[in-house]
Amino acid sequence: MSDLALPLDLFHFIRPWLLVLLPVIALLWWWVRRRLAPHKPPETAIAPHLAQALTVGRASARRVLPIDGVALVLALTCLGAAGPTWSRVPDPFVAQTAPLVIALKVTPSMEAHDLAPSRLERSKQKIADLLALRAGARSALIAYAGTAHSVVPMTEDPHVLQPYLEGLSPDVMPDKGNATAAALELARSIMAKESAPGGILFVTDDIEAADVAALNGFQGASVAVLAALPDGVGSAGIDQLTIPVQQVTVDDADITTLDRRLNAAYRRALAEQGDQPWDDRGWLLAWPAMLLGLFWFRRGWTMRWGAAALAALVLQPGTGRAEGVTDWFLTPDQQGQIAYDKHHFDRAGALFIEPMHKAHALYRDGKYDAVVETLAGIETPDAAFLSAMAHIKSRGYREAIADFQTTLDRDPNFPGAAQNLELAKKMLDFVETARVQSDTGEKTGEGADGVVLDNKDARGADTQIRGGEQGAKLLTADQWMNTVDTNTADFLRQRFAIEAAQQ
Protein backbone atom coordinates (compact mmCIF):
# COMPACT_ATOMS: atom_id res chain seq x y z
CA MET A 1 0.00 0.00 0.00
CA SER A 2 1.40 3.39 -0.97
CA ASP A 3 1.83 6.27 1.48
CA LEU A 4 -1.24 8.06 0.09
CA ALA A 5 -3.52 5.05 -0.33
CA LEU A 6 -4.43 4.69 3.34
CA PRO A 7 -5.27 8.39 4.02
CA LEU A 8 -7.33 8.53 0.82
CA ASP A 9 -9.16 5.36 1.80
CA LEU A 10 -9.94 6.68 5.30
CA PHE A 11 -10.83 10.22 4.18
CA HIS A 12 -14.31 11.37 5.20
CA PHE A 13 -16.11 14.32 6.80
CA ILE A 14 -17.00 14.35 10.49
CA ARG A 15 -20.01 16.64 9.88
CA PRO A 16 -21.03 15.84 6.30
CA TRP A 17 -24.44 17.48 6.64
CA LEU A 18 -22.76 20.89 6.38
CA LEU A 19 -21.84 20.07 2.77
CA VAL A 20 -25.45 20.85 1.77
CA LEU A 21 -24.40 24.52 1.92
CA LEU A 22 -22.11 24.10 -1.08
CA PRO A 23 -25.00 24.12 -3.64
CA VAL A 24 -26.40 27.21 -1.90
CA ILE A 25 -23.02 28.95 -2.24
CA ALA A 26 -22.82 27.95 -5.92
CA LEU A 27 -26.34 29.24 -6.59
CA LEU A 28 -25.56 32.52 -4.83
CA TRP A 29 -22.36 32.93 -6.86
CA TRP A 30 -24.19 32.29 -10.15
CA TRP A 31 -27.00 34.74 -9.31
CA VAL A 32 -24.68 37.57 -8.31
CA ARG A 33 -22.31 37.08 -11.23
CA ARG A 34 -25.25 36.99 -13.65
CA ARG A 35 -26.44 40.37 -12.36
CA LEU A 36 -22.99 41.87 -12.74
CA ALA A 37 -22.54 40.62 -16.32
CA PRO A 38 -22.88 43.42 -18.94
CA HIS A 39 -25.98 43.42 -21.09
CA LYS A 40 -25.72 43.13 -24.83
CA PRO A 41 -26.29 46.54 -26.45
CA PRO A 42 -29.25 46.84 -28.81
CA GLU A 43 -28.74 46.63 -32.54
CA THR A 44 -28.14 50.09 -33.97
CA ALA A 45 -27.02 51.61 -37.18
CA ILE A 46 -23.51 52.03 -35.76
CA ALA A 47 -20.86 49.92 -37.38
CA PRO A 48 -19.87 46.86 -35.31
CA HIS A 49 -16.27 47.95 -34.79
CA LEU A 50 -17.43 51.35 -33.56
CA ALA A 51 -20.03 49.82 -31.25
CA GLN A 52 -17.39 47.57 -29.71
CA ALA A 53 -15.09 50.51 -29.12
CA LEU A 54 -17.84 52.60 -27.51
CA THR A 55 -19.11 49.83 -25.18
CA VAL A 56 -17.95 50.22 -21.54
CA GLY A 57 -17.35 47.15 -19.29
CA ARG A 58 -17.41 44.60 -22.10
CA ALA A 59 -14.39 42.69 -20.72
CA SER A 60 -15.71 42.52 -17.14
CA ALA A 61 -17.55 39.27 -17.86
CA ARG A 62 -14.26 37.52 -18.49
CA ARG A 63 -12.22 38.90 -15.59
CA VAL A 64 -12.21 37.76 -11.95
CA LEU A 65 -14.91 39.51 -9.94
CA PRO A 66 -15.05 40.08 -6.18
CA ILE A 67 -17.92 37.59 -5.92
CA ASP A 68 -15.56 34.87 -7.18
CA GLY A 69 -13.28 35.35 -4.19
CA VAL A 70 -16.23 35.52 -1.80
CA ALA A 71 -17.68 32.28 -3.14
CA LEU A 72 -14.32 30.50 -2.89
CA VAL A 73 -13.81 31.67 0.71
CA LEU A 74 -17.31 30.52 1.65
CA ALA A 75 -16.72 27.15 -0.01
CA LEU A 76 -13.43 26.63 1.86
CA THR A 77 -15.13 27.64 5.11
CA CYS A 78 -17.94 25.17 4.47
CA LEU A 79 -15.50 22.34 3.74
CA GLY A 80 -13.49 23.16 6.85
CA ALA A 81 -16.60 23.28 9.03
CA ALA A 82 -17.60 19.83 7.69
CA GLY A 83 -14.51 18.42 9.38
CA PRO A 84 -12.30 16.64 6.84
CA THR A 85 -10.27 13.88 8.47
CA TRP A 86 -8.24 10.81 7.60
CA SER A 87 -6.79 9.74 10.97
CA ARG A 88 -7.66 9.54 14.65
CA VAL A 89 -6.21 11.53 17.52
CA PRO A 90 -3.18 9.56 18.80
CA ASP A 91 -3.83 7.61 21.97
CA PRO A 92 -0.95 8.22 24.44
CA PHE A 93 -1.53 4.78 25.98
CA VAL A 94 -1.34 2.86 22.69
CA ALA A 95 1.82 2.50 20.62
CA GLN A 96 1.47 4.21 17.26
CA THR A 97 3.87 1.75 15.62
CA ALA A 98 3.06 -1.86 14.77
CA PRO A 99 4.81 -4.78 16.51
CA LEU A 100 7.65 -6.05 14.35
CA VAL A 101 9.65 -9.28 14.11
CA ILE A 102 13.07 -8.84 12.49
CA ALA A 103 14.62 -11.97 10.96
CA LEU A 104 18.35 -11.59 10.28
CA LYS A 105 20.21 -14.05 8.08
CA VAL A 106 23.51 -14.99 9.78
CA THR A 107 25.56 -16.97 7.28
CA PRO A 108 29.10 -16.81 5.80
CA SER A 109 27.72 -15.10 2.68
CA MET A 110 26.63 -12.19 4.89
CA GLU A 111 30.29 -11.57 5.77
CA ALA A 112 31.08 -10.41 2.24
CA HIS A 113 32.77 -7.00 2.21
CA ASP A 114 31.09 -5.58 -0.89
CA LEU A 115 28.99 -3.58 1.61
CA ALA A 116 31.29 -1.76 4.03
CA PRO A 117 32.24 -2.96 6.55
CA SER A 118 30.36 -6.18 5.62
CA ARG A 119 26.86 -7.23 4.68
CA LEU A 120 26.23 -8.53 8.19
CA GLU A 121 27.61 -5.49 9.98
CA ARG A 122 25.70 -3.12 7.69
CA SER A 123 22.54 -5.13 8.39
CA LYS A 124 23.12 -4.81 12.12
CA GLN A 125 23.55 -1.06 11.74
CA LYS A 126 20.30 -0.82 9.77
CA ILE A 127 18.44 -2.89 12.37
CA ALA A 128 19.79 -0.65 15.16
CA ASP A 129 18.65 2.44 13.25
CA LEU A 130 15.23 0.90 12.70
CA LEU A 131 14.88 0.08 16.39
CA ALA A 132 15.81 3.68 17.26
CA LEU A 133 13.22 4.94 14.78
CA ARG A 134 10.61 2.67 16.40
CA ALA A 135 11.51 3.64 19.97
CA GLY A 136 8.72 2.51 22.30
CA ALA A 137 7.24 -0.01 19.85
CA ARG A 138 7.30 -3.77 20.38
CA SER A 139 10.09 -5.54 18.50
CA ALA A 140 11.53 -9.06 18.42
CA LEU A 141 14.70 -10.47 16.83
CA ILE A 142 15.24 -13.79 15.04
CA ALA A 143 18.52 -15.17 13.71
CA TYR A 144 18.57 -17.92 11.11
CA ALA A 145 20.94 -19.93 8.98
CA GLY A 146 20.28 -23.68 8.65
CA THR A 147 17.93 -23.33 11.63
CA ALA A 148 15.91 -20.40 12.98
CA HIS A 149 16.18 -19.19 16.58
CA SER A 150 14.48 -16.51 18.64
CA VAL A 151 17.20 -14.17 19.89
CA VAL A 152 15.04 -11.72 21.88
CA PRO A 153 11.24 -11.98 22.34
CA MET A 154 8.90 -9.03 21.97
CA THR A 155 10.15 -6.04 23.95
CA GLU A 156 9.53 -2.30 24.01
CA ASP A 157 13.11 -1.46 25.00
CA PRO A 158 15.48 -1.33 22.00
CA HIS A 159 18.48 -1.34 24.34
CA VAL A 160 17.67 -4.92 25.32
CA LEU A 161 18.20 -6.11 21.75
CA GLN A 162 21.45 -4.26 21.11
CA PRO A 163 23.96 -6.55 22.93
CA TYR A 164 22.40 -9.68 21.44
CA LEU A 165 22.39 -8.14 17.99
CA GLU A 166 26.09 -7.35 18.29
CA GLY A 167 26.83 -10.92 19.40
CA LEU A 168 25.40 -12.52 16.24
CA SER A 169 27.88 -14.04 13.80
CA PRO A 170 27.99 -17.19 11.64
CA ASP A 171 30.06 -18.88 14.36
CA VAL A 172 27.14 -18.92 16.82
CA MET A 173 24.77 -20.66 14.40
CA PRO A 174 24.66 -24.45 14.89
CA ASP A 175 23.86 -25.36 11.27
CA LYS A 176 24.75 -23.84 7.92
CA GLY A 177 22.08 -23.09 5.36
CA ASN A 178 19.32 -20.62 4.49
CA ALA A 179 16.15 -21.70 6.32
CA THR A 180 13.97 -18.74 5.37
CA ALA A 181 10.75 -20.78 5.68
CA ALA A 182 11.69 -21.87 9.23
CA ALA A 183 12.36 -18.23 10.18
CA LEU A 184 9.00 -17.24 8.69
CA GLU A 185 7.18 -19.88 10.73
CA LEU A 186 8.97 -18.81 13.91
CA ALA A 187 8.07 -15.18 13.22
CA ARG A 188 4.44 -16.21 12.63
CA SER A 189 4.32 -17.95 16.02
CA ILE A 190 5.72 -14.84 17.74
CA MET A 191 3.31 -12.53 15.94
CA ALA A 192 0.34 -14.80 16.78
CA LYS A 193 0.69 -13.78 20.43
CA GLU A 194 0.20 -10.10 19.60
CA SER A 195 -3.27 -8.56 19.75
CA ALA A 196 -2.61 -6.07 16.95
CA PRO A 197 -1.55 -6.68 13.34
CA GLY A 198 2.17 -6.34 12.86
CA GLY A 199 4.98 -6.85 10.39
CA ILE A 200 7.83 -9.23 9.63
CA LEU A 201 11.09 -7.91 8.15
CA PHE A 202 13.70 -10.19 6.59
CA VAL A 203 17.22 -8.76 6.40
CA THR A 204 19.05 -11.02 3.98
CA ASP A 205 21.22 -11.20 0.88
CA ASP A 206 19.45 -14.17 -0.72
CA ILE A 207 16.32 -16.31 -0.51
CA GLU A 208 16.01 -19.89 -1.67
CA ALA A 209 13.70 -20.41 -4.65
CA ALA A 210 11.69 -22.95 -2.64
CA ASP A 211 10.89 -20.31 0.00
CA VAL A 212 9.76 -17.58 -2.40
CA ALA A 213 6.18 -18.91 -2.61
CA ALA A 214 5.89 -19.03 1.21
CA LEU A 215 6.87 -15.36 1.51
CA ASN A 216 4.69 -14.19 -1.37
CA GLY A 217 1.61 -16.01 -0.08
CA PHE A 218 2.01 -15.29 3.63
CA GLN A 219 -1.15 -14.07 5.40
CA GLY A 220 -1.60 -12.56 8.83
CA ALA A 221 1.13 -9.91 8.85
CA SER A 222 2.87 -7.48 6.51
CA VAL A 223 6.10 -8.99 5.17
CA ALA A 224 8.99 -7.04 3.65
CA VAL A 225 12.63 -7.65 2.78
CA LEU A 226 15.66 -5.43 3.29
CA ALA A 227 18.15 -6.62 0.67
CA ALA A 228 21.67 -6.47 2.11
CA LEU A 229 23.22 -6.17 -1.33
CA PRO A 230 25.24 -3.41 -2.98
CA ASP A 231 24.00 -1.63 -6.09
CA GLY A 232 24.31 -3.76 -9.19
CA VAL A 233 24.34 -7.08 -7.31
CA GLY A 234 21.15 -9.11 -7.58
CA SER A 235 19.65 -12.27 -6.15
CA ALA A 236 17.52 -14.70 -8.14
CA GLY A 237 15.33 -15.47 -5.15
CA ILE A 238 14.81 -11.85 -4.09
CA ASP A 239 14.01 -10.82 -7.67
CA GLN A 240 11.06 -13.26 -7.69
CA LEU A 241 9.39 -11.72 -4.63
CA THR A 242 6.13 -9.82 -4.97
CA ILE A 243 6.25 -8.47 -1.41
CA PRO A 244 7.95 -5.08 -0.79
CA VAL A 245 11.74 -5.26 -1.23
CA GLN A 246 13.96 -2.34 -0.22
CA GLN A 247 17.59 -2.00 -1.23
CA VAL A 248 20.06 -0.87 1.42
CA THR A 249 20.84 2.84 1.09
CA VAL A 250 23.60 5.00 2.54
CA ASP A 251 21.05 7.08 4.47
CA ASP A 252 17.89 6.27 6.44
CA ALA A 253 15.58 6.34 3.43
CA ASP A 254 15.43 2.52 3.31
CA ILE A 255 14.33 1.96 6.91
CA THR A 256 11.94 4.92 6.81
CA THR A 257 10.21 3.49 3.75
CA LEU A 258 10.03 0.00 5.27
CA ASP A 259 8.63 1.34 8.53
CA ARG A 260 5.79 3.10 6.70
CA ARG A 261 4.95 0.04 4.63
CA LEU A 262 5.01 -2.37 7.56
CA ASN A 263 2.81 -0.02 9.62
CA ALA A 264 0.08 0.33 6.98
CA ALA A 265 -2.12 -2.50 8.29
CA TYR A 266 -1.59 -1.39 11.89
CA ARG A 267 -2.56 2.21 11.15
CA ARG A 268 -5.67 0.99 9.38
CA ALA A 269 -6.62 -1.15 12.39
CA LEU A 270 -6.10 1.80 14.76
CA ALA A 271 -8.26 4.02 12.56
CA GLU A 272 -11.07 1.53 11.97
CA GLN A 273 -11.21 -0.11 15.40
CA GLY A 274 -9.84 2.61 17.69
CA ASP A 275 -11.85 4.44 20.33
CA GLN A 276 -10.11 7.79 19.90
CA PRO A 277 -12.02 10.65 18.20
CA TRP A 278 -11.24 11.51 14.61
CA ASP A 279 -8.64 14.25 14.18
CA ASP A 280 -10.46 17.24 12.68
CA ARG A 281 -8.22 18.74 9.95
CA GLY A 282 -10.63 21.50 8.95
CA TRP A 283 -8.26 24.12 10.36
CA LEU A 284 -5.96 23.50 7.39
CA LEU A 285 -8.51 25.14 5.11
CA ALA A 286 -8.64 28.25 7.32
CA TRP A 287 -5.26 29.48 6.05
CA PRO A 288 -6.15 29.71 2.33
CA ALA A 289 -9.54 31.14 3.29
CA MET A 290 -7.86 33.92 5.28
CA LEU A 291 -5.41 34.67 2.47
CA LEU A 292 -8.23 34.91 -0.06
CA GLY A 293 -10.13 37.09 2.40
CA LEU A 294 -7.49 39.77 1.94
CA PHE A 295 -8.96 40.46 -1.52
CA TRP A 296 -12.21 41.59 0.13
CA PHE A 297 -10.61 44.92 0.94
CA ARG A 298 -11.34 46.45 -2.40
CA ARG A 299 -13.82 48.85 -3.83
CA GLY A 300 -17.34 47.47 -4.24
CA TRP A 301 -20.22 46.01 -2.30
CA THR A 302 -18.18 42.89 -1.45
CA MET A 303 -16.41 45.04 1.15
CA ARG A 304 -19.71 45.40 2.99
CA TRP A 305 -19.94 41.61 3.20
CA GLY A 306 -16.49 41.50 4.79
CA ALA A 307 -17.35 44.27 7.26
CA ALA A 308 -20.60 42.54 8.21
CA ALA A 309 -18.82 39.20 8.76
CA LEU A 310 -16.06 40.86 10.81
CA ALA A 311 -18.62 42.72 12.93
CA ALA A 312 -20.53 39.50 13.55
CA LEU A 313 -17.35 37.81 14.80
CA VAL A 314 -16.19 40.72 16.95
CA LEU A 315 -19.54 41.70 18.44
CA GLN A 316 -20.88 38.21 19.14
CA PRO A 317 -21.83 37.68 22.80
CA GLY A 318 -19.88 35.30 24.99
CA THR A 319 -16.76 35.10 27.10
CA GLY A 320 -14.11 35.32 24.42
CA ARG A 321 -10.40 35.47 25.06
CA ALA A 322 -8.19 38.04 23.39
CA GLU A 323 -4.90 37.75 25.23
CA GLY A 324 -2.84 37.83 22.06
CA VAL A 325 -2.87 37.64 18.30
CA THR A 326 -2.89 33.84 18.48
CA ASP A 327 -6.31 33.90 20.15
CA TRP A 328 -7.75 35.65 17.11
CA PHE A 329 -7.08 32.63 14.92
CA LEU A 330 -6.81 29.51 17.16
CA THR A 331 -9.05 28.21 19.91
CA PRO A 332 -7.48 27.27 23.27
CA ASP A 333 -7.83 23.57 22.39
CA GLN A 334 -6.03 24.13 19.08
CA GLN A 335 -3.25 26.00 20.85
CA GLY A 336 -3.09 23.22 23.42
CA GLN A 337 -2.78 20.59 20.69
CA ILE A 338 0.11 22.49 19.12
CA ALA A 339 1.87 22.67 22.50
CA TYR A 340 1.15 18.96 23.10
CA ASP A 341 2.64 17.97 19.73
CA LYS A 342 5.79 19.91 20.65
CA HIS A 343 5.95 18.01 23.98
CA HIS A 344 5.27 21.21 25.98
CA PHE A 345 2.87 19.31 28.22
CA ASP A 346 2.78 21.90 31.02
CA ARG A 347 1.60 24.60 28.62
CA ALA A 348 -0.80 22.18 26.89
CA GLY A 349 -2.38 21.29 30.23
CA ALA A 350 -2.98 24.97 30.94
CA LEU A 351 -4.41 25.69 27.48
CA PHE A 352 -6.71 22.72 26.92
CA ILE A 353 -10.38 23.20 27.81
CA GLU A 354 -11.66 19.81 26.61
CA PRO A 355 -11.32 17.60 29.75
CA MET A 356 -9.87 14.45 28.16
CA HIS A 357 -7.22 16.35 26.21
CA LYS A 358 -6.38 18.38 29.31
CA ALA A 359 -6.10 15.21 31.40
CA HIS A 360 -3.78 13.57 28.86
CA ALA A 361 -1.49 16.63 28.90
CA LEU A 362 -1.46 16.74 32.70
CA TYR A 363 -0.66 13.03 32.79
CA ARG A 364 2.32 13.47 30.48
CA ASP A 365 3.43 16.39 32.65
CA GLY A 366 3.39 14.20 35.76
CA LYS A 367 0.56 16.07 37.54
CA TYR A 368 -1.38 12.95 38.47
CA ASP A 369 -3.55 14.51 41.19
CA ALA A 370 -4.69 17.16 38.71
CA VAL A 371 -5.54 14.37 36.23
CA VAL A 372 -7.90 12.75 38.71
CA GLU A 373 -9.48 16.10 39.56
CA THR A 374 -9.98 16.96 35.87
CA LEU A 375 -11.64 13.62 35.11
CA ALA A 376 -14.03 13.75 38.05
CA GLY A 377 -17.59 13.61 36.78
CA ILE A 378 -16.77 12.22 33.32
CA GLU A 379 -18.54 8.88 33.10
CA THR A 380 -16.72 7.23 30.22
CA PRO A 381 -14.44 4.18 30.19
CA ASP A 382 -11.56 6.29 28.80
CA ALA A 383 -11.81 8.70 31.73
CA ALA A 384 -11.90 5.90 34.29
CA PHE A 385 -8.92 4.16 32.70
CA LEU A 386 -6.83 7.35 32.60
CA SER A 387 -7.76 8.11 36.19
CA ALA A 388 -6.65 4.61 37.19
CA MET A 389 -3.31 5.07 35.45
CA ALA A 390 -2.83 8.37 37.30
CA HIS A 391 -3.52 6.63 40.61
CA ILE A 392 -0.97 3.94 39.73
CA LYS A 393 1.67 6.61 39.04
CA SER A 394 0.94 8.27 42.40
CA ARG A 395 0.94 4.87 44.18
CA GLY A 396 -2.75 4.97 44.98
CA TYR A 397 -3.22 1.28 44.22
CA ARG A 398 -6.62 0.92 45.89
CA GLU A 399 -8.07 3.86 43.96
CA ALA A 400 -6.51 2.47 40.78
CA ILE A 401 -8.20 -0.90 41.35
CA ALA A 402 -11.55 0.82 41.82
CA ASP A 403 -11.11 2.88 38.62
CA PHE A 404 -10.00 -0.14 36.58
CA GLN A 405 -13.09 -1.97 37.80
CA THR A 406 -15.22 1.04 36.83
CA THR A 407 -13.66 0.94 33.38
CA LEU A 408 -14.65 -2.70 32.96
CA ASP A 409 -18.16 -1.98 34.25
CA ARG A 410 -18.58 0.68 31.57
CA ASP A 411 -16.85 -1.32 28.82
CA PRO A 412 -16.03 -4.98 29.55
CA ASN A 413 -13.79 -5.15 26.45
CA PHE A 414 -11.81 -1.98 27.07
CA PRO A 415 -8.21 -2.64 25.90
CA GLY A 416 -5.79 -3.28 28.75
CA ALA A 417 -8.26 -2.70 31.58
CA ALA A 418 -8.51 -6.32 32.73
CA GLN A 419 -4.74 -6.89 32.57
CA ASN A 420 -3.99 -3.66 34.45
CA LEU A 421 -6.61 -4.51 37.08
CA GLU A 422 -4.85 -7.79 37.86
CA LEU A 423 -1.48 -6.05 37.86
CA ALA A 424 -2.72 -3.36 40.26
CA LYS A 425 -4.03 -6.07 42.62
CA LYS A 426 -0.66 -7.81 42.58
CA MET A 427 1.14 -4.53 43.25
CA LEU A 428 -1.13 -3.78 46.20
CA ASP A 429 -0.65 -7.27 47.60
CA PHE A 430 3.11 -7.02 47.20
CA VAL A 431 3.25 -3.64 48.95
CA GLU A 432 1.12 -4.78 51.86
CA THR A 433 3.00 -8.07 52.18
CA ALA A 434 6.29 -6.20 52.25
CA ARG A 435 4.84 -3.92 54.93
CA VAL A 436 3.83 -6.91 57.08
CA GLN A 437 7.26 -8.46 56.77
CA SER A 438 8.98 -5.19 57.70
CA ASP A 439 6.71 -4.44 60.68
CA THR A 440 8.88 -5.65 63.61
CA GLY A 441 7.65 -3.03 66.07
CA GLU A 442 11.16 -1.59 66.35
CA LYS A 443 12.41 1.70 65.03
CA THR A 444 15.40 1.08 62.82
CA GLY A 445 17.96 3.52 61.64
CA GLU A 446 18.35 2.21 58.12
CA GLY A 447 16.04 1.57 55.24
CA ALA A 448 14.11 3.51 52.64
CA ASP A 449 13.81 7.25 52.90
CA GLY A 450 10.23 8.36 53.49
CA VAL A 451 8.34 5.21 52.49
CA VAL A 452 4.55 5.54 52.44
CA LEU A 453 2.58 2.32 52.09
CA ASP A 454 -1.13 1.71 51.51
CA ASN A 455 -2.12 -0.49 54.49
CA LYS A 456 -5.85 -0.14 54.90
CA ASP A 457 -6.12 -3.84 55.76
CA ALA A 458 -4.18 -3.07 58.98
CA ARG A 459 -1.57 -5.74 58.36
CA GLY A 460 1.26 -5.76 60.94
CA ALA A 461 2.19 -2.91 63.22
CA ASP A 462 2.79 0.71 62.32
CA THR A 463 6.50 1.38 61.95
CA GLN A 464 8.16 4.50 60.62
CA ILE A 465 11.29 3.81 58.59
CA ARG A 466 13.86 6.46 57.81
CA GLY A 467 16.85 5.91 55.59
CA GLY A 468 20.39 6.78 56.35
CA GLU A 469 23.14 7.82 54.02
CA GLN A 470 25.12 4.63 54.80
CA GLY A 471 22.50 2.29 53.29
CA ALA A 472 23.51 -0.31 50.73
CA LYS A 473 23.69 0.91 47.14
CA LEU A 474 22.10 -1.13 44.37
CA LEU A 475 24.05 -1.83 41.21
CA THR A 476 22.86 -0.17 38.05
CA ALA A 477 21.90 -2.28 35.05
CA ASP A 478 25.20 -1.45 33.31
CA GLN A 479 27.22 -2.32 36.40
CA TRP A 480 25.39 -5.61 36.76
CA MET A 481 25.94 -6.51 33.10
CA ASN A 482 29.67 -5.75 33.50
CA THR A 483 29.91 -8.39 36.22
CA VAL A 484 28.82 -11.13 33.80
CA ASP A 485 31.88 -12.95 32.48
CA THR A 486 30.24 -14.66 29.49
CA ASN A 487 29.65 -12.47 26.43
CA THR A 488 26.46 -12.64 24.41
CA ALA A 489 28.09 -14.56 21.54
CA ASP A 490 29.02 -17.46 23.83
CA PHE A 491 25.58 -17.42 25.40
CA LEU A 492 23.82 -17.45 22.01
CA ARG A 493 26.10 -20.21 20.68
CA GLN A 494 25.24 -22.48 23.59
CA ARG A 495 21.54 -21.73 23.52
CA PHE A 496 21.22 -22.19 19.76
CA ALA A 497 23.09 -25.51 19.95
CA ILE A 498 20.70 -26.78 22.62
CA GLU A 499 17.65 -25.66 20.63
CA ALA A 500 19.00 -27.28 17.44
CA ALA A 501 19.62 -30.55 19.28
CA GLN A 502 16.08 -30.48 20.65
CA GLN A 503 14.65 -29.87 17.18
Side-chain angles (χ1 to χ4, degrees):
M1 180 177 294
S2 65
D3 296 340
L4 293 177
L6 182 59
L8 289 176
D9 195 22
L10 297 175
F11 180 83
H12 66 282
F13 289 95
I14 301 175
R15 297 169 292 274
W17 54 270
L18 287 174
L19 297 178
V20 299
L21 296 176
L22 287 177
V24 178
I25 296 173
L27 181 62
L28 179 64
W29 169 80
W30 174 82
W31 180 72
V32 174
R33 215 181 197 286
R34 177 172 167 271
R35 291 185 56 206
L36 296 177
H39 298 285
K40 184 178 179 181
E43 295 292 339
T44 63
I46 304 177
H49 66 284
L50 294 177
Q52 182 178 1
L54 295 174
T55 302
V56 178
R58 187 177 184 86
S60 62
R62 295 189 299 269
R63 66 182 176 87
V64 177
L65 299 178
I67 187 58
D68 300 331
V70 173
L72 186 55
V73 170
L74 292 177
L76 290 173
T77 304
C78 179
L79 291 173
T85 182
W86 52 87
S87 63
R88 292 186 182 272
V89 176
D91 189 343
F93 295 104
V94 177
Q96 300 302 307
T97 306
L100 177 65
V101 179
I102 304 173
L104 173 63
K105 181 185 175 186
V106 187
T107 62
S109 66
M110 290 287 286
E111 293 189 313
H113 296 284
D114 48 3
L115 274 180
S118 69
R119 295 181 182 180
L120 182 59
E121 291 303 318
R122 177 67 70 86
S123 299
K124 291 180 181 180
Q125 294 170 4
K126 289 297 180 180
I127 292 175
D129 292 341
L130 179 60
L131 293 174
L133 178 65
R134 293 168 38 83
R138 294 176 60 79
S139 305
L141 179 62
I142 291 175
Y144 72 96
T147 54
H149 304 272
S150 174
V151 180
V152 178
M154 280 291 182
T155 177
E156 297 177 357
D157 188 357
H159 300 289
V160 174
L161 285 83
Q162 191 62 38
Y164 294 96
L165 179 64
E166 295 174 354
L168 289 175
S169 67
D171 296 336
V172 307
M173 305 306 294
D175 296 322
K176 307 302 179 183
N178 187 7
T180 305
L184 181 63
E185 179 60 24
L186 179 57
R188 184 204 60 78
S189 63
I190 295 175
M191 193 60 64
K193 301 176 183 178
E194 299 297 310
S195 59
I200 301 173
L201 175 63
F202 279 85
V203 185
T204 178
D205 60 351
D206 189 24
I207 293 176
E208 297 292 339
D211 298 330
V212 171
L215 289 174
N216 290 336
F218 186 79
Q219 302 291 331
S222 302
V223 183
V225 171
L226 177 61
L229 295 170
D231 293 335
V233 178
S235 166
I238 293 179
D239 293 340
Q240 298 176 22
L241 294 174
T242 59
I243 60 176
V245 177
Q246 178 65 46
Q247 192 83 13
V248 170
T249 61
V250 295
D251 54 11
D252 294 339
D254 48 359
I255 61 175
T256 304
T257 302
L258 285 171
D259 186 57
R260 288 198 302 264
R261 290 177 177 176
L262 293 171
N263 278 330
Y266 184 68
R267 293 198 303 268
R268 177 180 292 276
L270 286 180
E272 294 178 348
Q273 305 172 11
D275 297 326
Q276 290 293 100
W278 289 97
D279 191 4
D280 192 340
R281 305 298 181 93
W283 61 272
L284 293 173
L285 297 175
W287 296 106
M290 286 189 296
L291 291 176
L292 289 171
L294 296 177
F295 291 98
W296 283 10
F297 294 90
R298 58 184 300 168
R299 184 178 180 181
W301 58 266
T302 309
M303 181 60 192
R304 294 196 296 271
W305 281 33
L310 182 62
L313 292 175
V314 174
L315 300 179
Q316 62 180 345
T319 57
R321 300 191 336 160
E323 299 174 359
V325 177
T326 306
D327 295 328
W328 298 357
F329 304 100
L330 299 175
T331 66
D333 284 334
Q334 290 172 335
Q335 298 178 48
Q337 187 62 51
I338 294 174
Y340 187 93
D341 294 338
K342 293 181 178 179
H343 295 178
H344 299 160
F345 303 118
D346 54 343
R347 175 170 171 77
L351 288 171
F352 273 129
I353 295 179
E354 200 279 324
M356 286 302 299
H357 289 167
K358 187 180 187 70
H360 281 303
L362 292 172
Y363 182 89
R364 297 294 296 272
D365 194 34
K367 300 176 180 178
Y368 306 117
D369 294 337
V371 172
V372 177
E373 182 179 353
T374 302
L375 296 174
I378 304 178
E379 299 180 355
T380 63
D382 300 271
F385 185 83
L386 182 56
S387 178
M389 295 299 297
H391 281 305
I392 285 287
K393 291 290 187 178
S394 59
R395 300 181 183 179
Y397 303 119
R398 290 187 179 277
E399 293 81 0
I401 291 173
D403 283 339
F404 281 133
Q405 187 60 55
T406 302
T407 304
L408 292 173
D409 293 341
R410 294 172 180 174
D411 183 1
N413 299 320
F414 193 89
Q419 296 87 338
N420 282 283
L421 175 60
E422 295 301 321
L423 181 61
K425 291 180 178 179
K426 292 179 181 179
M427 294 171 69
L428 176 62
D429 184 68
F430 173 79
V431 169
E432 293 186 342
T433 301
R435 176 63 185 269
V436 170
Q437 294 175 351
S438 64
D439 282 340
T440 61
E442 300 177 359
K443 295 184 178 179
T444 61
E446 295 184 356
D449 186 9
V451 176
V452 179
L453 299 178
D454 187 4
N455 188 28
K456 293 187 178 181
D457 288 342
R459 300 187 184 184
D462 291 335
T463 303
Q464 185 175 7
I465 304 174
R466 297 186 180 276
E469 296 182 358
Q470 303 300 324
K473 296 182 178 179
L474 296 177
L475 293 177
T476 65
D478 292 338
Q479 292 171 338
W480 183 84
M481 289 297 294
N482 291 332
T483 63
V484 180
D485 295 331
T486 303
N487 58 41
T488 55
D490 295 334
F491 168 73
L492 293 174
R493 182 184 297 108
Q494 296 173 7
R495 183 160 69 86
F496 291 171
I498 294 173
E499 292 176 352
Q502 294 175 345
Q503 293 175 5

